[in-house]
Amino acid sequence: MHWLEEHWLGVSLILMGGGVWWLMPRSWQLPRIIGLITALAGAYLMSWGIKSVGGDLGDTVMFWVFATGAIACAILMITNRNPVYAALWFALATLNVCGLFWLEAAPFLAAATVIVYAGAIVVTFVFVIMLAQQSGATAYDQHARQPLLATLAAFLVLGLLLGMLRDANPGDVLVAKAQSPGVTANLLSQPAPGKTLDDDTMRGLGRSLFGDYLFAVELAGTLLLIATIGAIAIAPRRSRGTL
Amino acid sequence: MTGEVERYLVVGAALFVLGALGFFTRRNLILMVLSAELMLHGVSLTFVTFGRMHNSFQGQSFTIFILTVAACEAGLALSLILALYQRSKTLDIDFWSELREPGLPSPRLAEEREARDLVAPPPLEFPHLAPAGHVPDLEDEFGKLVDDARSPTADTPLEPPEPRELVKSVTK
């Protein structure tokens, strides 16, 4: 156990990367459940090593449920051979991420993400997949490109991120900040006096968006308009009656 | 709250890396864009966590802008993918590696090219209808009907025509 405490980062990265590599689509099929369980075990070991101290029990249980769902759905999405199933796994991953948003005192963001992603983006993508791949399974979905090298590179990046997180220890940063507040956010972006982030979410988010970031909101609206026009201009006409 | 935020950051980092991995390994144009959206999820989760760490709504505001840009990106990406699809009739990203300069080797490995050639497209299948009884006899005499019913040839169901012949006759 002592050895594991020393090397939890490497072990967890190897476990998770090996599991994901196991699940990658290739010409032979390995039993998928083994890879998924290995990858999830690596992910659990990862957060065990970060030494997270739980809040209250309900939040902790909900966090584990949503985090497991998000990571499992993400793994299944990037390794599924059927693009329609992959899009549906992505929708499930989105729902789990929205659960995490909810736990982090961002209910408006959770609702907006469900509406925009699961309601609009995924549906459009599934439509395009079904229009474009009417003949069924295609060869290029059955073979991942460079599975070993890509997995190595990706989990090297994850290892760097987690190592940085372990060394930086954001909890200590918070404590230091509470003792000597330096640069603080704009007053409009902070919760009202006497209230916390969790009490005051909707009102505070509205004040932040339409007070502190009003100009950016206008810019984002213009961006949406331009993107709509651009999408209509780029999208091909139906010349021969087909897609 | 101290000590509680790191686990959200771990999930955000894992989602980001998994999205990047999907972007590297998938060869379907649409799934590559979806993997990029997964990376955006990881970044959004990290932003919300940072905002919560600093007790301000700036993280959530930023995530709403990410949502806006993601919606724009998805719309533009889909119209671009449709435009590419209309030219190539495939969603394979490797098709567009033909755009490279002349004289350069193909980015695809030899085994990948062989693998593509090995996989045959699934054969066209028509639904098989169950034969429903024998051909009705249109003659009036009752005795002949009974004879036909007793004869072995009448009991054999009508063979459905071969699907390929149907296709040929239709296309002709």
Side-chain angles (χ1 to χ4, degrees):
Chain A
M1 218 52 192
H2 183 70
W3 177 83
L4 198 59
E5 282 179 18
E6 293 268 324
H7 299 96
W8 61 269
L9 186 56
V11 173
S12 63
L13 285 177
I14 289 173
L15 273 181
M16 194 172 170
V20 174
W21 175 81
W22 180 283
L23 284 171
M24 286 279 172
R26 50 172 78 85
S27 37
W28 68 92
Q29 174 88 51
L30 298 167
R32 292 178 66 78
I33 187 72
I34 296 177
L36 188 62
I37 288 175
T38 315
L40 282 182
Y44 280 127
L45 188 59
M46 218 170 263
S47 37
W48 174 79
I50 292 290
K51 297 263 189 309
S52 63
V53 185
D56 81 65
L57 183 66
D59 275 3
T60 310
V61 171
M62 294 298 271
F63 168 79
W64 286 112
V65 170
F66 285 132
T68 310
I71 292 187
C73 291
I75 291 173
L76 288 174
M77 173 210 150
I78 63 171
T79 56
N80 206 301
R81 289 165 182 249
N82 189 332
V84 178
Y85 284 167
L88 295 180
W89 282 121
F90 174 75
L92 270 182
T94 305
L95 288 183
N96 283 297
V97 170
C98 288
L100 291 177
F101 281 161
W102 189 283
L103 289 182
E104 289 206 289
F108 174 74
L109 207 49
T113 308
V114 168
I115 291 169
V116 172
Y117 272 96
I121 293 182
V122 171
V123 172
T124 323
F125 274 81
V126 169
F127 264 113
V128 173
I129 292 172
M130 286 174 155
L131 283 174
Q133 295 190 336
Q134 287 173 343
S135 55
T138 50
Y140 50 88
D141 278 325
Q142 315 298 317
H143 295 273
R145 182 208 308 277
Q146 300 277 15
L148 187 61
L149 283 180
T151 312
L152 278 180
F155 281 89
L156 195 63
V157 173
L158 185 58
L160 286 176
L161 285 173
L162 289 182
M164 212 168 63
L165 192 60
R166 178 193 56 190
D167 296 339
N169 206 351
D172 291 351
V173 176
L174 276 190
V175 171
K177 186 180 162 58
Q179 283 163 359
S180 64
V183 181
T184 52
N186 190 324
L187 268 183
L188 286 171
S189 287
Q190 288 173 352
K195 293 196 172 178
T196 61
L197 215 57
D198 303 71
D199 304 334
D200 205 18
T201 310
M202 293 300 288
R203 184 173 159 276
L205 186 58
R207 273 202 331 170
S208 171
L209 262 186
F210 296 108
D212 203 0
Y213 291 105
L214 183 59
F215 184 59
V217 168
E218 300 290 339
L219 268 184
T222 317
L223 179 69
L224 265 179
L225 177 69
I226 295 172
T228 313
I229 296 172
I232 293 171
I234 294 172
R237 307 275 93 79
R238 282 177 162 234
S239 56
R240 289 181 293 278
T242 52
L243 178 70
Chain B
M1 199 179 76
T2 305
E4 202 186 337
V5 291
E6 285 94 338
R7 51 191 194 189
Y8 289 97
L9 296 179
V10 171
V11 177
L15 281 181
F16 180 84
V17 166
L18 286 174
L21 185 54
F23 195 83
F24 290 153
T25 55
R26 296 317 294 249
R27 292 159 61 183
N28 190 324
L29 278 170
I30 292 179
L31 288 184
M32 289 175 77
V33 177
L34 269 185
S35 301
E37 307 277 349
L38 193 63
M39 292 168 79
L40 285 182
H41 275 331
V43 175
S44 302
L45 198 56
T46 311
F47 264 121
V48 173
T49 311
F50 282 163
R52 198 167 164 225
M53 280 169 63
H54 291 280
N55 196 30
S56 85
F57 288 104
Q58 282 175 325
Q60 296 190 26
S61 302
F62 210 107
T63 308
I64 287 181
F65 291 122
I66 290 181
L67 209 62
T68 315
V69 176
C72 297
E73 176 224 323
L76 283 175
L78 276 180
S79 53
L80 282 171
I81 287 173
L82 280 184
L84 290 180
Y85 178 77
Q86 212 179 32
R87 286 164 189 269
S88 67
K89 294 297 169 202
T90 175
L91 290 177
D92 191 357
I93 187 73
D94 282 341
F95 181 86
W96 298 99
S97 65
E98 305 296 325
L99 288 175
R100 67 185 182 275
E101 282 183 45
L104 288 180
S106 169
R108 279 192 282 141
L109 298 177
E111 51 182 304
E112 288 179 357
R113 265 168 302 185
E114 283 169 14
R116 170 190 296 187
D117 297 334
L118 282 181
V119 178
L124 196 62
E125 280 193 11
F126 287 96
H128 295 287
L129 298 179
H134 54 78
V135 184
D137 206 327
L138 295 180
E139 295 203 26
D140 287 330
E141 292 159 83
F142 181 70
K144 197 167 184 333
L145 273 178
V146 173
D147 282 350
D148 278 352
R150 279 178 185 164
S151 69
T153 52
D155 281 338
T156 55
L158 189 67
E159 285 293 323
E162 281 295 312
R164 298 289 174 190
E165 294 172 5
L166 263 182
V167 173
K168 279 176 195 163
S169 63
V170 168
T171 47
K172 273 174 192 169

